[in-house]
Amino acid sequence: MSVKIEASEGGMDHNVMLGIGVVGALVCIYLVYLNTLMSTEVFAFFGGLAAIIVLWWGTDSIKNLCSYGLGTGVPSAGMIALGSGVVAMLFATKLAGISPLLVPIGCVVVAAILGAILGFISDKVLNMNIPVMTRMIAELTVVGSLTMLGFTAMVAGTFSFGDLITGATSVFGVEIASYASSVIGGCVLATIFMLGAIAIQHPFNACLGPNESWDRTQMCAIECGALSMIGVAVMSIAFLSIPAVVISFAISIILWGWSYSELIKLSKRDAYDWLDAQPIREVGGEQ
C-alpha cells in the first residue's frame, strides 16, 4: 500500500491544468497548419508554444505521481513520457495520409490508449500499487507525444510524416532527394527527444524539497520549455526560411528571458522564508 505525501499545497487544480494543457496545445499545433494554408513557414513557432503548454501541465502530473514515494522516480517518469510519446507521435503523423487535421487529435487519442496500457501494467502487473499510476502514466504519455509533435512541427514547419522523411541535398549544384537530410532520417528527432525529456524531468526534480512551492515549480517548467525551444529554433535553420527561424528564435528568447526573471524572483521569495532555518548540528561538533 502506497502513502501519499503532498509535495506542496495550493495552486491550480490539476484537472483544470489538464484541460488547459490539452486544449491549449491542440490549438497551437493546429495553428502550425496555417503554414500549409498560406504557403509560408512563419507559423512554425506555434509548435514550440504547444510544447511549453504541455510541459507546464506535465510537470504537475509528475508531481502527483511522485507524491507516492517516487522522488527518485522523476527521471523514469520523464523517460517513459517521451519514450512512449514518440511512438504515439510517429503513428499519428501517418494519419496525415487520410487528412492532416487528424494528426494532432489522433496523437492525443493514441497516446492516451498507449499510456493507459503502460500504466495498468506498471500498477497491476508489476504490483507498484499506486492509486494514480494508470492515470498519470496515460497523462505523461500524452504530454510526451504532444511535446514531440510540437517541437517537430516547430523545427520542420509541418507535422505530416511524408514531409518529415523527405529531405534534399545538393550534388554538383543539383538537388536530389535524401532521406538522411530529413527531420527523422537526420536524427533531429533524437535531439528533440532529449530536449523534451530534460525539460519535463528537471523542474520538479530541481524544486523538490521541504520548501517546494507550486508557482515556483511551474515557472521552472516554463523556463525549461523555453530553453528547449531556443535549441529547436536553432535546429530549424536546416529546414525553414530565415524569416521563420528569426521569428521562432526571437519568441523563444523573449519567453525564456521573462520566465527566468520570474523564476529568480520566486526563488528569492522562497529563500527569504527560510532565513530563520537553523543549521544542522553534528554530534560532537561545535554548538
Side-chain angles (χ1 to χ4, degrees), residues 128-198:
M128 297 188 75
N129 294 323
I130 295 176
V132 298
M133 174 66 81
T134 302
R135 175 182 172 178
M136 291 307 154
I137 293 297
E139 285 191 21
L140 288 170
T141 303
V142 176
V143 169
S145 65
L146 289 177
T147 300
M148 294 292 299
L149 187 65
F151 279 151
T152 299
M154 180 181 173
V155 81
T158 177
F159 42 73
S160 169
F161 184 79
D163 296 332
L164 298 178
I165 60 171
T166 304
T169 187
S170 178
V171 179
F172 299 115
V174 179
E175 284 202 349
I176 59 174
S178 171
Y179 173 71
S181 301
S182 66
V183 173
I184 295 178
C187 296
V188 174
L189 205 61
T191 308
I192 290 174
F193 180 100
M194 291 311 302
L195 287 173
I198 292 170

Side-chain angles (χ1 to χ4, degrees), residues 54-72:
V54 290
L55 288 168
W56 171 78
W57 156 44
T59 295
D60 204 63
S61 299
I62 284 187
K63 187 165 76 174
N64 271 283
L65 177 61
C66 294
S67 294
Y68 290 86
L70 294 179
T72 56

Side-chain angles (χ1 to χ4, degrees), residues 7 16 34 40 51 55 57 81-82 101 122 129 154 161 166 178 192 222 250-251 263 284:
V16 176
L34 290 174
T40 181
L55 288 168
W57 156 44
L82 271 294
L101 298 179
S122 301
N129 294 323
M154 180 181 173
F161 184 79
T166 304
S178 171
I192 290 174
I222 297 173
I251 292 175
L263 177 62

Side-chain angles (χ1 to χ4, degrees), residues 213-233:
S213 58
W214 180 86
D215 53 358
R216 179 162 56 92
T217 301
Q218 296 309 127
M219 186 56 68
C220 188
I222 297 173
E223 190 264 338
C224 289
L227 198 58
S228 293
M229 191 175 169
I230 293 173
V232 176

